[in-house]
Amino acid sequence: SPNLLLYVGLGTGPPAPAPVPTPRPITRPTPQPTPRPTTQPTPRPTSPLPRPQPVKDCSFESSNLCAFWYNVRGDKFDWTRKTGRTSSSSTGPGSAADQSFYMYIETSSPRRKNDNAILASPPLLLTQPTKLLFKYHMYGSTMGSLSVTVNGKTVWNKNGNQGNSW
């Protein structure tokens, strides 16, 4: 199952491999005896079956990050959910790209070269082609890199100051 990781690191070299989250143990049900076949066919349902639901959009407006995104343990620092301006001058956005909230990391002091912050998803079961759509704002003289990693492979990467816009 793929994992989606948003990776940010400081420095000019390639990012160090992200620590792999510890998988949760799989609980298997206790085997039950096989039921005997019936002689009557199964009746049709009396109400319509629920339709498959589309994948829901998940924004950072949700205070629990949609119970989906999480800060990985073992990196150097964490992503922070923020509204409004960042605390450093001449860096970061003045506001969120959509609505009120965004996730950010502080790349100036006390950050050091090769520090990293990883925002990850749980393993995903994708049954059809899927896209990760996101906006990024990488503005400031101490900007490092932002990477999207799927199954340990970097599929998207930006480095350095990208200007004061989403």
Side-chain angles (χ1 to χ4, degrees):
S1 300
N3 282 6
L4 296 175
L5 301 174
L6 286 178
Y7 172 90
V8 173
L10 300 176
T12 57
V20 177
T22 305
R24 295 184 180 104
I26 298 172
T27 306
R28 303 203 185 274
T30 304
Q32 300 294 319
T34 304
R36 292 187 178 156
T38 61
T39 56
Q40 300 295 320
T42 303
R44 288 182 114 356
T46 55
S47 60
L49 295 174
R51 300 187 91 182
Q53 296 296 310
V55 174
K56 294 181 180 176
D57 286 340
C58 177
S59 75
F60 299 129
E61 297 303 310
S62 169
S63 63
N64 70 350
L65 304 182
C66 303
F68 183 77
W69 297 106
Y70 63 93
N71 279 298
V72 171
R73 292 185 181 146
D75 54 4
K76 297 290 184 182
F77 62 110
D78 287 337
W79 289 79
T80 301
R81 184 171 172 261
K82 178 99 172 113
T83 187
R85 301 193 59 77
T86 60
S87 57
S88 299
S89 62
S90 300
T91 67
S95 63
D98 299 315
Q99 298 182 25
S100 300
F101 291 91
Y102 59 96
M103 295 296 287
Y104 96 108
I105 58 156
E106 181 59 58
T107 63
S108 55
S109 182
R111 302 283 67 90
R112 295 174 189 242
K113 187 176 178 177
N114 297 321
D115 280 358
N116 64 348
I118 302 171
L119 189 65
S121 77
L124 304 174
L125 178 59
L126 305 176
T127 58
Q128 60 189 8
T130 304
K131 291 187 224 179
L132 170 66
L133 301 175
F134 66 100
K135 295 178 182 178
Y136 62 92
H137 191 286
M138 297 173 65
Y139 175 55
S141 62
T142 59
M143 190 55 55
S145 65
L146 175 64
S147 301
V148 176
T149 305
V150 179
N151 288 340
K153 180 181 175 189
T154 299
V155 296
W156 182 91
N157 185 59
K158 287 282 184 187
N159 292 297
N161 186 348
Q162 300 295 311
N164 190 11
S165 64
W166 285 101

